[in-house]
Each structure stands twice: as structure tokens, then as C-alpha cells.
Amino acid sequence: MSMTAFLGRRLLQLVPTLIFILIVVFVLVRLLPGDPASAVLGDRALDADVERINRELGLDRSLPVQFVAFVKQVFTGNLGNSISMKIPVTQLIADRLPITMLLTFMAAVIAVVMAVPLAFVAALRRDRLEDSAIRGAFQVGLSMPVFYVGLILLTVFGAKLRWFPVGGYGDGFLDHLYHLFLPAVTLALSLSAILMRNLRSAIIGVVDAEYVTFARAKGLRANLILFRHILRNALISTLALFGLSIGTLLGGAVITETVFAVPGAGRLMVDSIYGRDYPVVQGLTIALAVLVSVTFLLTDILQAWLDPRVTK
Amino acid sequence: MTVMSVSRLRRLPRAFVFGAAILIASVIVATFPSAFAPYDPLAMDYVNLLAPPSAAHPFGTDNFGRDVLSRVIHAYTIDMQIALFATLFPFIFGTIVGAIVGYVGGVTESIFGRVVDAVITFPFLVLVIAIVSVLGPGLINMYIAIGVVGWVFYARIIAAEVKVQKRLDYADAGRAMGYTHARIVFRHLLPNAITPAVVYWMTDMALAILLGSSLGYLGLGAQPPAAEWGVQIADGKNFMATAWWISVFPGFAIVLTGLGFSLLGDGLAEILRGRK
Amino acid sequence: MSDTLLSAQDVSKDFAFGRSLLDVVKGAPIKAVHALNGVSLDVKRGETLGIVGESGCGKSTLARCLVRLHDCDGGRVVYDGTDIATLSGADRRAFNTKVQMIFQDPYSSLNPRMTVRQILSEALRVHNMRPKVEIDARIAELLDLVRLPQDAADRLPHAFSGGQRQRIGIARALAVEPEVLVADELVSALDVSVQAQVVNLLLELQDRLSLTVVFVAHDLRLVRHISHRVAVMYLGKVVEVAPTETLFKAPKHPYTQALLAAAPEVDPTRRTRRVAAKGELPSPINLPSGCLFHTRCPHAFDRCVSDVPQLTPRRPGHVAACHLPDPELP
Amino acid sequence: MTRLSLIATTAAVLLSTTSLVQAQERGGVMTYGRYADSMFLDPVLNDANVDIWILSNMYDTLLLPTDDGQSVQAGLATDWNVSDDGLTVTLTMRDGIMFSDGTPITTEDVIWSLDRARNPDNGIWNFLLAAVSEVTAPDDKTIEIKLAQPDPAILPALSVFNAAIMPKAAFEAMPGETDLEKATAFAEKPVGSGPFVFDSWERGSTLKLVKNEHYWADGADGQKLPYLDGVTFEVIPDDATRILRVQSGELDGAELIPFARVKELQDDPNINMELFPSTRVADIIINVRPELDGEPNPLSDVKVRQAMNYAANKDAIIQVVTFGVGTPTSSFMSSTTPLHTGDGPVFPYDLEKAKQLMSESGYPDGFTASILTLAGNQDELGIATALQQMWSQIGITLEIQQVDNATRTEQYRNGTFDMRAGAWTNDIADPNQITSYFAYSPTIDALHSGWKSEEVDKLFEESQSELDTDKRAEQYARIQEVFNQEGPTVLLYETPYPVALQDNVKGFNQIPLGNNIFRETYLEKE
Amino acid sequence: MTEPILSVRNLTATFGQGASALRAVNEVSFDVMPGEVLGLVGESGSGKSVTLRSLLRLLPVGGHVGGSVSWHGKDIVRMTDAELRAVRGGQISMIFQEPMTALNPVLPVRVQIEENLRAHTQLDRKGRNARAKELMDLVGIPDSARRLDEFPHQFSGGMRQRVMIAIALASDPKLLLADEPTTALDVTIQDQILNLILDLRDELAMSVVLVTHDLGVVAATCDRMAVMYAGRIVEEGDVTQVFAQPRHAYTRGLLGSIPQAGTERSMLLSIDGTPPGLAAIPQGCAFNPRCDFATDICRRTRPHLTGDGHRAACHNSDAVIAAGSPVKKALSHV
């Protein structure tokens, strides 16, 4: 199968996935107890106000009617207005999602930078002291609750040492990177632990592969064998996991964003669920789903590029 | 223990032995917390608020004057429960679905593929939060929420493995013997396909505890006054500067237990790899 | 009366590639591997029929069609006068007990999680071969039959060597007291010294139990040693069938000839440096026209490209599918 | 210490600009950490404290609440007068007042703004101006407000955010058909006449206000207000992080410091831990309907409720939850609310009396009930956890249910809850708002509790048009007496607003109604 | 008499350390003469592949090589990494059993040939390109220019093996080590590849060490052969001699296990039991439990390779010789 056919197939597979998500999101938010008006107006609102606002929002109509309206909206690219903030959901997504994307991207880069060299050391020094130390350290990283790690990093590197700002997002691109460093590290910890483990065993699996022996039999330099023959093949299996994890990271940035006061989409999502801001929850879920799908697609492409057998 | 079994034990991977030791100890503590805890984990002592570790309270007391050690010990019961129950249903259901999907293949597999895509594309934590919001907070609902998503991962693993196994000759041998599909899937293929899922299960149990603590942080996990490590850490985060012991000790417990599960998983994987 | 027990009648089998949605949308043609392209073959009661050919010739697929591990796409497989595709329920299970298969890979053909006893008793129980109380005795008997020690019963497959595992596989097949054994590359994964043991066992069992054997293999020497008759397959077709001696002494199909010439002789004094067959096997997805072998055949002429040669009699019991009446060895 | 040099440079540039600003007398930009972002910056259509508490910095009202939150002072109006029959309010507009864009504030703007604010179709605050029947301008300096019936709270109502004066022309020039659409567009870059002007807003992160050059007020030193060049609100949802940012010097101030941290910050020499008096009261709201879910409701028994009140050790709760910062409530309204009566806890902790009352009640053997708390809210959780322990001693098994806000509101509004933790802050410098919600049954069924007292309802209705201050005080005294003794609550404590400020922050105030007042704030030069 | 090109003395290969160490190859000695094809024969686990890999110190992690492998006056076992790199793939090349796993699946063939040329020749890019194409032509891959940019999975089994041979030949090696190069191939393709190797041996004046389990392949290709059992060489000699008159009971049994024309449907002369595992090599002669000729001494003392030219490690050589070769009577073809 050619690369284009492969891509076309992957894109087509997206359609049922998105339809499924559309339905689930719609049903789920409407199953949530409490209506947007009460959520927004809080304890003090009078019943009449609540009814009036629900009517204004069209929430008094039947569910099928609402669903049809919703689907129509989605297909015209209009995701409606936020109930609490009144502004278009598309604008909110445009403002907040890139922040989460940047955070996730940084976390992914950091995770890779931490995991790859250490996986090598651990795999090549298998069952020795280095291996145990690296695996132990990553295990601790993996077992710590994200919010706790975040607070510790903030306290030590932010408040005490003052190397990094204590949360926030900053102004300007470089400042963003600076502000997002600690949260990205926090987010990267568990990912890098998972990647390290996976890559380590992938490398162990590859080191004794016949083609590595063949490469050695060719009299190639150790570095060339390491990078061209071992790493590249070991990365193939890790890459799929990496793609999956990026998806999880994107959806799971909620807590990191809360702790570090990063105005990303994760926080917005949770706030919107609590605030029963249906349009925001729906819009954001769809945007995240598309984004995650695109990530999967990118890793698939990368995988196809690394491993020519995939497109077969 | 006989000499035989000692030598057999020695042949097991170190990771497995350590992991199993940690977890067996954890299960014992979880089963008989009162035998180990010096105080009632719920008893408040308004005089001894935020007392630092001392002989009377080795791990100090929290903002209600409750003994942190006793709470960490009693939390074993809940956290080991979380580890088990949050993953048991996904494990069983996912395994059954995965086995069927992997065996039947074809259209069933395509449909399953789309369901998997949808579930993994959906932001996991968001889904869990939404489901817990629908059902109300609490452990049971948390299990349900995790289960709705979690089974997919097991099903994926099992389906892939069953697909591999069904190409092996012993599956065909079963068919040539005239065995029913159910017998071939569940008696023959599944026992051979299940090991990666079991290894993943170990990791998943550790992750479940962490997820439980994250939900605890958001107030959606274990409900007070029950002691649960994640909730304890979340409660203690306001006291990190003044009363570090409230959050640090349950933190240790999480790390230790997580370590136990991971080591066991690694060891198990090693044993099973070795057998091949 | 020709005592045909099992026969393949114009059997064909395709394995289609998975079609994506996109393929369906584009209306792309269904791509398939044409594994069997009209195979007709009779197995006579009590004989050993050897089926030989190189990988991709369809011999394993044919073996699987014979025991109905695959349902054939065209033609039919007839056992004892009945089209096996029509069997269901109890009849199908009865057929399964009558025609058994033994597999190539000693490492994957046994469930690694079941002891030998479990494997055998499962077969005995499912088909109600023996009352419950007699099962253990029967297992002992079967182990004896395949020359395995009695203490083998309670061990898992990984405790056995390859040869022993093949014996277990044979015992499992024999547990249901079949009439026909289809052996697919039974010994090709074994070491030479062990191969001989298993071959000897098979010969002995066939005599003792009057089994009919279909012996599928790529090793000409083995097939020759074991078979009464041999069928040669190429690209999903039978190109030649003959009694063993006839086939090996006077092959009539150029492919058979090439195959025999290519096989190294166990006699260092008789080496040749001539390449027996040029080129490689064509893709089973896009089959050549006419005679499937024409792309590699030293004798190919126009007709071979356009016409499909049919199996025609050459001598008593000897048929070959070649347009030439008597191609000379090159 | 190693840093990326690039980052160091950026930081250096930032530092130098900051010090430049600080060189000016009483200038500077103040960075203030909030727990949540604003949502909708329209004075009339908004609904949440995150908006309410900062709106007055952008929008000015005719009258302003005093710093103690008890009465009113001059705002855009310099003089005000209520006629003897209480049916007309006459206000005199200040000279030369302008919106921040430099356009003059006219009587037309005032009439339009007040009409919009009292339109029953707009928002949820219009009831505050419900008594108004017409707003007119006899001349271009005078505003006359006609009331349908006398309203003793009309002056405070004119100081509430929703009565802010907005530029009619600019508002109506906004795109959109409906008032909501125009308001949405307008609130994206609002124009008002408060001390500060909207500058920029990154939702979820920062909201920047800058000095309004056209603001009318002068400070006590004769300088023009505001002193600050701007205020930047930063959103930091996590309490611990918010405090860390103050400690690291990245924030000049932060709101809603958890009580657990107050002591620690008070001890910090660099930080000024302020506890601003508030109208905030914390209590438990009890559903007193005779039946719940078809079962008889023990909480409908007044003796049970009194027993619960006596069994609740307020001092312990104040210790555990507020770490000593709170004080026991002496009435359902805070002591900072006008016409408050009472002194010391209404129900001093007395377990014996509680047990006694339980035994006299219809439920001597106790019962099980649940309490709703807001998920993630440590205070409510602490209260519930403590009460769980305390009430177990009088045979009440308390089940804690942590729920999110929407779920809680639904159960609350439907009256299907047993109990819930609650907290209240006044929006107006008058007792009528809290009383209407807490005690007067027609509004929301006395906090959706189903409690009803004919006497209280009657007293409240009378007080709503009672212009005689003394008489009104008597009415309120009686209402408080009845409600405090028999009401559907367990009264707990009142707490101040805890705000952490850098030592050099001067002149900041959060008034008891919650409004953050920055107009006289400045950053003192080191 | 010509000097051997490669001289192996007391070669051992061990895995693991201390008490649990396993010896896969035990004191193996042999010579390879210029231009000859030496066959190393044995069943699985006999140590033939490990022996071959030990020659270039190509054992997996945890493996250790002892003894000496003398190549042009230098001992490969004691070479520095840099020296070893020059020999590996340069003077001595190796090909493997399963080209699908021995070729890196993710790199195009061109890269895999070029990296060898870059490591061992002075050619520039252009020169390497030309040489790569030349090599593909040499091993008989049609349409070589295009196929250079294809990946291993796009080749058929036979073509893949040709690719691997092309890579191995890149630096004009003087010795080719071939580890079961045709086991995974069909008979007709095996025939092609074996002939290719022999042709190349003639053209390039290489020596070849061919590891195989198939005595037919040995008979058809090799000049000399060494039979291995349980990590040791048990018999060594000229191929025709060994086939005509095996001196070791194991060799005889092996030859007898092969079905031969004229004996159809008769019992084969099989060897009982199975080859021993490395952890449980019997005392004395390792073959004694399976041997029909075994006597007491076989169970006690390990026999040494004796003889001149045709050597065997068997206490009862005479009895074996007397029993005769099972091959002799089979002179018909196949």
C-alpha cells in the first residue's frame, strides 16, 4: 500500500471515531445532574431566572432537537457560545488549546530527552548497578502523584532557588517556554518513565537481533550500530506507545495546569464540566479528539517513515 | 519451607521476589489494619493539631489531630481495594472482549478498532471526571468510571495476543479435533494470551492508585473521613511548609506500593519471557 | 473398485487481503492470494499419499482443506462419499474424528499450558471416546503407542524435545481413532537423527492401525521414503501424480524434473554445478497465464503461455500437466 | 546558580522596567493573584463573585459603599436626598465627569444604565432596584428616581455593581441585535468610569487594567487617584501555588489565602497578612420539610436542630477549619451587616444540653442524614468531617457527599438534600438581601429549606418599606431572634477575607461586601 | 603444502559466569585452506553456529571467546576493537541463515551495502554507488539500480539471501563465513544460492566456511567437513572420505538417518534419544548414551580427535568402520 493510500485510510477511520465521540459527549453532558443556568447562577438565583436563562439557551427543547442543532453547528464550524463567558467557544479553544499543546509538546520533548539516553544506559548495562538505579529513580517518578511533584518542584525551583517562575504563563514566546518548563517536567515524569521502560526492553530485544550481529560482522563502528541499527528499530515499538501517551498527556494536563496556574485547555475543560458549560465541554472535547487523532496520525506517519513495513 | 522451594525461590527474578514481598506485606496490612495502627484513624484530638512526629505519634498528626501513621495504615485497606477493584472489571471484561475480537477478527475487529480509537482519543481524565460527576463521587463510582475506559486497554492487548496465538498450530489442532470455538478461545488461546495483560494489570494497579489520588485531589475519589493516601496528600499540601509529615508519609506509601506492583510486573514479564 | 477414501475435486482457495474503506470507495479490485487453483486428487484407503512442492505451492492449504480447517472456495472435498462442507453438528464432529491432522511445528502445535494428560483426555472426553474411568488407561495406551514414557503424562510440553512433542501430537490425533492422518511437514522442524525416529514411528503406526496417510512435505527424500504415491504441486496446482518409483525415476513434468535435480544428493561423488531451475516463484496474487510454470520452464513454448495444460495420463497411475508428451531432462 | 542566559536577559529587562516604574511616587503596577478568572464583565448580566468583586474598579456607581461596608458615600453623584415619603430619590451629578474614553457622562447615560439594570428581563440583580418606577433627569445635573413604594435600601442599592453607569452610545454601537449580544461584545473591552480601565485579557490567565486618566477622585494627599499605573490580575487556582508566588515576590498580593496558612504568613516578615472584615458567614443549611423521599424527616424537629447546634463545638471547628481566624456567629447575619444584633455564640457548645434536647425530641435514638459539600473545598470538608465526629455523640450518623457545584445547586434548588454546608456574603450594605434569602420564605423558601415563619415573613415585608430606622432595627432584631433559635441552620462562624500582600503594598482594601478596592492602593518605594 | 588461511586452536565459547557458565563450544581446532569450502555439520545445539560466530567474536551479550583464531599471523581473539573492525566485514565476511532477520528491516538495501563500503573501502560516494550496483549484478539481482532503494521486505527469500551475499562481498573478503545460508530456502532456490557461492569462491578466490545441518548440502558443496556434537568436533576429513567411511558412530548414525533411494518404507537407521543440552553433557564421550557402539570406556573417558587428514574422536572407530557407511549402497540419485 502506498503512503497516500495509508494516510487516506487512516483519515477515513477518523470519521466514525469522531461521530462516536460527538454522540458520547452530547449524551454525557446532558446526563450530568444540574443545568447550566443553576450552575452559572449559583445558589442565589430565583427559579424564574433559571427558567428564563435555560429557555434563552434552548435547553428547554427536546434532546433530539438539541442534538440536531448541535450537529448542524459542528458541521458549520460554529461551536456555539460559552454559557458562562458568553464568548464563542471557537475563540476560547483558539486561546487556550495552543497553551496545552505547547505544554504537552514540551513535556514530550523533555520526556524523550530524559528517557532515550537513560534507556540506552540501562539496557546496555542490563541488571547492573546503573540499570537498577535508573529504573528505581524512574519508578519513584512514576509513583508520585502529579500535583505533589508539581508542588515540590514549585517550592524548590520556584520559591526557594528562584530559578523558575512559580507558575503562570508569561508574555512572549520565550517567556512562555520559561514558565512552562517546570509544568512540562512534571508532566514529562510519568511519560518518560513509561518510555524508558518500554525503550529499555525494546533495546534489549534488538541488541541481540540478527541484523545487529550482521552489522557487527560488517565491522561497523559502535556508534553507527547503536544509532542506525539499534535505536531506530527499538524506537519503532516505542513510538506507538509514545503517540498513545501524548494523547493521554493532552487530556490529562488538567492537574498540572491547575497546580502551575497554566491557562490551558485542561483546566478550562474541568471548569466547564463543573460549570455545566455544555458548548465549551462539547467543543473542547471535539477539538481535543481531533488533536489527539492528528497526533496518532503523525506518529503513524513517523512510524511508517521509520519502518517501511508499516505501509505494506 | 523445604530446601527445594528455597532454591526455586532463588531462581525467580529478584524483581519478582521483592515486588511480591512488598505486596504480600501490603495485603497483610490492608487486611488487618487495626493490628498495626496505634490509634483510631478517625479519632480527632483538638489539642494535638499538626503535631510533628514524636514517640507518641511517629508520623505526627494532621490538622484534625488524627494520627498520620494510623491513617496511612488504614489507607492500605482502601488503596489496595482501589488497586484491585478499579482494575478487576476492566481486566475481566477487557479480556473476554479482547479474546472474542481477536479470535473472530474481520468486521468485528474493525468495529472494535473504531471503539478503541474513540475511547483512547477521548481525554481519559475528562471522561472519568464527567462520569464521576454524573454518578456522584465515591469509590464505587470511581471504579465504574475507570472501568468504562480501562477495559479497552486490556481488550487491545488480549486481542492482539489472541490473534497471534490463533495462528499457531495448536489452535488449528483444536479445530481439527472438532472442539467448539468457545473451548478453543477460552480453554486454549486465552491462557496463552493472557500473560501480557497480567503484566499490564500490575502496572495498571499502580496507576489506579495514582489516579485515585488525582481524583482525591479533585475531591472525586474516596470520601472523608476515610483515609486514602491521595486524599491525605491533597489534604496535606496546604501544610507542606508547616507540617510536611501529613503528605510525605502517605507519599512514601504510594511510592512503595507502586514499586511493589512494578517490580512484580517486571519480574512476571521476565519469568514468562524466560519460559519462552 | 477404486477404494477412494478422501478426495479433493477441483478445489480452489483464495485468501483475500483486508479491504479498507478507501478500497471499497475507490472500487478497487479485491486482491487475493490464489493458494489453490483447482486441485483434484484422490487418497486411497490404506495408502500413503505424498504431496510435495516448494513453499507457496499450496500443499499446506490443501492439507487444511482436507481436514476442513479451511472451507474451500471452489470445488469440494469428499470423504467416504460425502461432501464435507455439508457436514454440521454431530456429523462434523464425527468427521473430525475420522480425519485427523498432525502439524509441522512441534513448538506451537501443543498448548503450552496443558499437560500431556490434559491434552489427551480433552480429546477423549469431548468425543466420548472412552467412559470416564477408562480414560487414564487409554492415555497410558496412547503414550505406549507413540513410545513415550508413562511419566510423560503429567508434564507440560516445554519439558519435551521436538521429536517427543511430535509424538504427543501424533498421540493426540490417534486418541480419536481416525482413519486418515494428514501430516503437514511432520518432521521438517526436527533434527535429522530425530526425523528418522518419527518417520519410523509413522511407518509402524500405519501398519498397526491400517491408517491412510497424507504426507505433506518439501523434502523429496522423505516423501520418497514414506509414500506409495506422490503428487507434485506448483502454485496451487497438482502438476504431476505418480506411484513413487515412477515419479522419481521418470518424472514427466519439467517442474518435477527441476525439483529432483535441485535436491542435493547425499553422495559427494555425484555433484553437478548446473542450476536446475532458473528464476523464482511468480507471485500467487497475479498468476501467470497458461501453464503456471512457463516463466521458469526450459521447454516453454507459445502454447504454454496461452493454454492451461490438463493432467493427462502418461503411464498407468501416472498423470502430468504438461503440453509436451515427454520433456527431456535438460 | 545556572540559568539560560536568554532567560536572564529577559528577566533583566523586566526588572529594569519595573524599577523604572517604582521610581515614581506611589505608582507602579500591582499584580494580584486570584483563585479564579472573571467570566463576564458586564455589571448587569454577570452572575458570579469573580466578576462582582472587581467590577467596581472599572465601572463607577452614583454612590459608593463606605470602607466599612455599612453605608454609602459620594460617587458619581455628590449629593443625594430621599424625600420624606420615601418615594423620590434626588441625586446631584458631579461636575466634569467622564468615561475612560474621554466622553462626558450625561444624565442620559445614567437613566439608560439604571433602566437597563432594573429591567426584569436582564440578569438576576434587577430585584435590587425593583422598587424603582421611573428614572428622570429634571436638568443635566440632577437625577430623580421615583419609587413605587418606599425602600429603605434604595441608597445602598445605588452603590451596588449592577447600578453602574455605562456609556449608552458606546454600548449601543456594539454589534448584535439583543442586549445580550451587545453586552457580550461590550464586555470584551468594557468602557466605564471607574479608577481603572480595561487593557487586555488572556482568559484563564491574566486580566490587565490600567489607570483611568479621567477618574474624578483625588486622594487624601490631594493627588489624583488612582495612584497605581495599573492592576494585573493573575489567575492561580491552586492555593499553595498562589501563596508560593507571593512568597517568591512574583505577586504583590493574593486573595483567599487558606486559613491553614494564615499563621505561617503572619510570621513571614516580608508579607503583610491582612484579614479584612467581611460579611461572610459559614453555616449548615438544613432541609426542614416534614418529609423527605416519603420518609419522615427528623431534621424538621426544631429540638433536633437545636441539639445539633449545641453539639457543634464551634470553637473546635474554628480551630480545625479556620485555624483560629474565625469567630463564632452571634446571628445568621454577620456582625458587619447593618442592624445585626447579638453577642457571642447563639448556641454555646453544650453536649449535655444537646443530649437532653435529643432525648426530648422525636428521635431520641438518633438517625442518619447526609451533608453535601463542594468537592475540593477544604473548608466545607473540614466542617463536615468535624461535625461527623461531633454529632456521632448525639446519635446522628452523618454521611458526607462531596459533589460539584452544579449537582449541589440542583439538589438544593429541588429541596432534595438533607443538609449542606453553606456560606454567604452580602452584596449590598443592607440586611434585607441576606434576610430575604435566609428567612423570608417567598424568595427561595428560606434557603430552599422549606422553613417558614408567618411572623418573620410579616416582619420582613413590613421592614421593606419601613423608613423609620429604629423601627426597622426592632423588626430585624425580632427576625434574628426567631431565626437564630428555630431557623433551618446550624450557625458556625464568620471569617474575614484573608489577603496576603507584600509589605510595600499600601492602601489596598477589600470591603465587607467583597469588593477589591484598588483606587488608593500604591506600591511603596523600598 | 600450502599454509592454512585461518587456523583455529582450542576455541571455546562460554556464556554466563562462574558455576552456571555454559560452554557452547569446547576446544575446537581446525584449519581453513585457501580456496576451500569447509563444512561444519551438526544438529541444532551442536555448537556449529556459535563456533562460526566465535571466529569473529560475534557472540551475543554475555558470551566469551577463548583459544586462538589466527588470521594472517594475528590472533583475532586478542585483537583490539579497531583491528577487529578491519577484519570483520573487510577480510572476513559473514552471511546468516535468515536474511529477513539479518538484514535491517528499516533500511534500504543501498544503505546496508554502502555502510560496508564506507567502512572498508576508500571509495567516494559515486564510487560506492557504482560498486553497490556492481555487487547486486554480481550476485544476480535483476534490475539492480532500482532495487537498491528497496527495503528487505520487498525482496523474495532467495533475493534477500543474494542481497546479503552482495553486502558480504562488498570489501572483497578472503574468507566467507556462511551460517546455514540456505536452510530457509526452497530446494530450487537453495540450488541457485549454493551454486552462486561456489561460483563466487572461484571468481574471487575466497575460502568458505559453511555451517549446515544438511548432509546433502555438504555432499554437494564442501571440500572438507567437520562434524560437531555437543560443542566438539567429533570427526573431520575430506568429504568423500567421510561419506564413504565414517569413523565416528555419530556421523554414521547421521548418514543413516537420511532416507535413501531403494529403501522405501523401511525402517531408517535412526539414532535413539535426543542431542544433550549444554547444561547436561554426558561424561566421557558425549554421544555415548545414544551410541550403539558404546563401551565402558566411552562412558568414562572422553576420546580425542586422532588420525591424520581424516580424524575422529571415537574409542570404537574400528567397529564403526567395520559396520560400514550407510550411504555406500545408495548410488542411485537423490
Side-chain angles (χ1 to χ4, degrees), chain D residues 256-311:
Chain D
L256 292 183
I257 300 300
F259 299 120
R261 308 292 297 274
V262 166
K263 176 77 172 59
E264 173 197 349
L265 293 175
Q266 278 169 341
D267 293 342
D268 189 327
N270 300 318
I271 286 167
N272 174 19
M273 183 66 231
E274 290 274 12
L275 296 170
F276 293 107
S278 85
T279 52
R280 190 172 185 282
V281 285
D283 50 19
I284 303 296
I285 298 161
I286 301 173
N287 194 336
V288 300
R289 289 176 178 82
E291 282 197 356
L292 271 179
D293 270 344
E295 300 281 322
N297 178 12
L299 299 169
S300 63
D301 187 331
V302 70
K303 285 220 162 72
V304 168
R305 298 203 295 273
Q306 287 173 345
M308 287 158 68
N309 266 301
Y310 277 116

Side-chain angles (χ1 to χ4, degrees), chain A:
Chain A
M1 196 195 302
S2 72
M3 193 69 168
T4 33
F6 170 71
L7 280 184
R9 187 171 142 192
R10 288 288 287 105
L11 281 173
L12 267 178
Q13 285 178 347
L14 259 178
V15 176
T17 307
L18 286 179
I19 291 173
F20 182 80
I21 287 175
L22 227 63
I23 296 171
V24 171
V25 167
F26 181 83
V27 172
L28 202 61
V29 291
R30 274 153 189 84
L31 280 179
L32 290 172
D35 55 293
S38 329
V40 169
L41 300 181
D43 293 348
R44 304 181 189 185
L46 306 176
D47 292 346
D49 290 327
V50 172
E51 274 166 35
R52 176 165 52 83
I53 287 178
N54 277 334
R55 197 167 52 244
E56 281 169 18
L57 296 170
L59 297 171
D60 55 339
R61 291 176 294 173
S62 72
L63 283 188
V65 174
Q66 288 186 46
F67 185 69
V68 169
F70 166 56
V71 171
K72 259 188 208 156
Q73 276 188 343
V74 170
F75 280 98
T76 53
N78 165 14
L79 298 173
N81 286 354
S82 157
I83 292 173
S84 58
M85 289 170 268
K86 316 289 192 271
I87 58 173
V89 172
T90 42
Q91 186 191 330
L92 270 173
I93 292 173
D95 286 350
R96 308 279 292 260
L97 197 54
I99 299 174
T100 302
M101 285 165 67
L102 182 61
L103 175 64
T104 309
F105 179 75
M106 282 179 72
V109 170
I110 292 171
V112 169
V113 167
M114 286 198 290
V116 172
L118 291 173
F120 254 108
V121 176
L124 298 181
R125 307 287 299 166
R126 190 179 171 189
D127 292 334
R128 314 253 182 107
L129 185 67
E130 296 93 322
D131 185 24
S132 305
I134 290 169
R135 289 167 72 192
F138 274 96
Q139 183 56 49
V140 171
L142 189 61
S143 311
M144 301 248 275
V146 168
F147 60 91
Y148 199 57
V149 175
L151 273 179
I152 290 172
L153 291 183
L154 271 184
T155 310
V156 175
F157 295 103
K160 292 264 166 14
L161 295 173
R162 308 247 168 139
W163 292 358
F164 291 96
V166 183
Y169 184 51
D171 293 311
F173 186 67
L174 286 177
D175 205 29
H176 290 336
L177 294 186
Y178 184 38
H179 277 81
L180 289 183
F181 185 75
L182 287 184
V185 168
T186 310
L187 205 53
L189 269 188
S190 62
L191 174 58
S192 71
I194 292 169
L195 285 184
M196 202 286 294
R197 277 174 67 147
N198 187 279
L199 190 58
R200 175 184 169 275
S201 57
I203 292 172
I204 288 173
V206 167
V207 160
D208 286 337
E210 197 81 317
Y211 54 79
V212 175
T213 311
F214 189 40
R216 288 163 67 203
K218 286 178 186 173
L220 304 182
R221 291 181 174 279
N223 279 344
L224 194 66
I225 296 177
L226 217 53
F227 288 104
R228 186 182 282 171
H229 292 279
I230 296 180
L231 183 60
R232 191 166 163 166
N233 280 286
L235 276 181
I236 290 170
S237 67
T238 308
L239 196 65
L241 179 76
F242 182 67
L244 273 180
S245 311
I246 298 266
T248 318
L249 280 194
L250 266 176
V254 177
I255 291 174
T256 319
E257 286 176 4
T258 306
V259 173
F260 287 93
V262 176
R267 185 71 214 166
L268 177 64
M269 180 69 111
V270 175
D271 288 345
S272 306
I273 292 176
Y274 286 156
R276 301 294 183 269
D277 205 334
Y278 294 174
V280 180
V281 177
Q282 287 164 176
L284 209 49
T285 309
I286 293 164
L288 273 176
V290 169
L291 196 59
V292 172
S293 301
V294 169
T295 316
F296 288 170
L297 196 65
L298 286 179
T299 39
D300 279 357
I301 293 171
L302 197 60
Q303 202 167 11
W305 175 72
L306 273 180
D307 184 355
R309 291 165 297 182
V310 170
T311 46
K312 196 169 81 173

Side-chain angles (χ1 to χ4, degrees), chain E residues 14 48 79 126 161 210 241-242 304 320 331:
Chain E
T14 39
K48 56 191 190 303
M79 276 185 183
K126 227 171 132 189
Q161 192 55 277
L210 178 71
Q241 277 178 10
V242 175
H304 296 281
V320 176
L331 289 173

Side-chain angles (χ1 to χ4, degrees), chain B residues 42-44 46 49-50 63-64 66 133 136-137 217-225 231 234-235 237-242, chain D residues 238-240 243 258 260-261 264 313 316 319-320 323 375-376 378 381-382 385-386 388-390 400-404 407:
Chain B
L42 305 183
M44 299 180 188
Y46 302 122
L49 299 181
L50 303 175
N63 52 323
F64 291 98
R66 297 175 295 197
S133 300
Y217 173 78
L218 298 170
L220 302 174
Q223 296 300 294
V231 172
D235 287 352
K237 86 186 163 65
N238 266 327
F239 305 96
M240 273 200 0
T242 50
Chain D
D238 189 277
D239 298 337
I243 293 169
R261 308 292 297 274
E264 173 197 349
N313 184 342
Q319 271 311 315
V320 166
F323 295 82
Q378 291 297 318
L381 190 55
T385 311
Q388 196 174 41
Q389 179 82 2
M390 292 164 181
I400 300 175
Q401 294 179 353
Q402 293 190 87
V403 292
D404 71 68
T407 310

